[in-house]
Amino acid sequence: LEGTNWEVDGLVSADAVSSTLAGTEASLVIEGDTASIDAGCNTGSSSVEVDADAGTITFGPVATTRKACQPEVMDQEAMILTVLAGEVTYEIESNHLSLTNVADPTVGLTLTAER
């Protein structure tokens, strides 16, 4: 989990998974107690606490840059930041990471370890 550049490749909403927008890249890197986030337009960071026994990650408030991008890119970014708000459950299978927001389990992300 830690020290890996996880690239967001799917946005989960209810029971559907959609790909990230063409031409955008979003990623997550956790190093110690800090998460570096590229949400597709803006970048930022957050404090983070990983509980491997519980399979949870708790994100503090995310501080991001404030660039304006195309509306659909901003919508994607808002979805990513919604998932990374507060406590999320995580599951790693091979080189894939799944994140689900605990407060709103209908939203999540799928990520792949950068090769």
Side-chain angles (χ1 to χ4, degrees):
L1 178 65
E2 292 190 42
T4 300
N5 185 20
W6 294 102
E7 294 183 355
V8 177
D9 55 18
L11 307 170
V12 180
S13 181
D15 292 329
V17 178
S18 57
S19 299
T20 55
L21 296 169
T24 64
E25 292 183 13
S27 62
L28 170 68
V29 178
I30 296 174
E31 295 277 0
D33 62 357
T34 302
S36 297
I37 300 162
D38 182 337
C41 174
N42 289 285
T43 59
S45 63
S46 166
S47 62
V48 69
E49 184 178 320
V50 177
D51 185 338
D53 293 333
T56 61
I57 306 168
T58 303
F59 291 88
V62 178
T64 65
T65 56
R66 298 284 183 195
K67 291 190 295 185
C69 294
Q70 297 295 326
E72 61 274 8
V73 175
M74 297 305 293
D75 290 345
Q76 174 179 285
E77 181 169 290
M79 170 75 169
I80 292 168
L81 294 176
T82 295
V83 174
L84 302 180
E87 187 176 20
V88 301
T89 59
Y90 75 92
E91 185 176 322
I92 298 174
E93 187 173 312
S94 181
N95 65 333
H96 299 284
L97 172 65
S98 297
L99 301 176
T100 303
N101 187 281
V102 171
D104 183 358
T106 65
V107 296
L109 300 173
T110 59
L111 304 94
T112 302
E114 183 181 63
R115 296 175 188 242

